[in-house]
Amino acid sequence: MNLILFGPPGAGKGTQGKALAERFGIPQISTGDILRENVRMNTPLGMKAKEYMERGALVPDEVVVDMVKVRISRDDCRRGFILDGFPRNVAQAEALREMLRGIGKQIDHVIGIDVPKEEIIRRLSGRRVCRGCGANYHVIYNPPSKDSVCDRCGGEIYQRDDDREETIEARLEVYRQQTLPLVDYYTRMGIYRAVDGTGSAEQITERIVGIIGQRGNNP
Ligand code: AMP
């Protein structure tokens, strides 16, 4: 099963990606996570991506598309994968279609996670992330039990640079202009389904599983 989790920043793609990856035993591929890791390690890719990410802009397509191509061809994607944060525009969607066609695969479902704008801003501005395992927290709704320390792995919890208020608006604008047209694109292909992205993480996971129509560990 090859799945795209779609939605604005803060919709919960990362959280749902992790839950679904565990449930179905297939990897979550988050382009944002891969890019952040490259920035942290100061790789040539990270150095190229950094300034775009800091502004809340999209990293150039060719950089991200190559990165995804390499990741998808790894052996752990044989039985399927969950894309989180990719594609972000029509050119990337086209590139994805081509690269999958080349290896005899296709996208089965695109799940759009719907969350009202005020809720998105509340989530993003309070979001904190673990540097070690990537777990998400929120200063009010889901704080760690010990300040700045991850409950799961003991890693350091920090605020992403692009979750600061001034960058959030820029990211939402990029989403509206460049990413939102993909709803039409995938609706025309007949594989787009929207889910209500409000409620508990577990409730949302169940809604998605209901749409996909598969049981856990049975991709
Ligand atoms: P995310 O973690 O998905 O919110 O992504 C964080 C940042 O990484 C975005 O604001 C972009 O700068 C960059 N990024 C992530 N995925 C993509 C993509 N598919 N295309 C271009 N830039 C991306």
Side-chain angles (χ1 to χ4, degrees), residues 1-20:
M1 177 186 63
N2 304 324
L3 185 78
I4 292 175
L5 285 178
F6 184 85
K13 301 187 295 294
T15 303
Q16 293 306 321
K18 284 187 192 73
L20 295 167

Side-chain angles (χ1 to χ4, degrees), residues 6 8 13 40 45 56 69 119 123 139 146 189 202 204 208:
F6 184 85
K13 301 187 295 294
R40 199 171 68 84
L45 176 73
K69 209 181 267 179
E119 171 77 12
R123 286 187 190 179
V139 283
K146 230 167 105 194
M189 284 172 65
E202 293 75 19
I204 300 163
I208 297 175

Side-chain angles (χ1 to χ4, degrees), residues 9 13 30-33 35-36 52-53 56-61 64 84-88 92 127 160 162 171:
K13 301 187 295 294
S30 157
T31 44
D33 283 351
L35 288 167
R36 273 186 292 280
Y52 296 95
M53 297 174 77
L58 293 186
V59 173
D61 291 341
V64 184
D84 151 14
F86 182 91
R88 282 284 232 276
Q92 292 183 10
R127 176 161 73 179
R160 281 170 46 174
D162 61 352
R171 289 166 68 205

Side-chain angles (χ1 to χ4, degrees), residues 43 96 217:
T43 67
L96 176 65
N217 279 327

Side-chain angles (χ1 to χ4, degrees), residues 90 94 97 181-192:
V90 173
E94 290 285 331
R97 189 142 73 147
L182 289 178
V183 172
D184 269 355
Y185 178 91
Y186 285 119
T187 300
R188 276 199 302 272
M189 284 172 65
I191 53 174
Y192 183 86

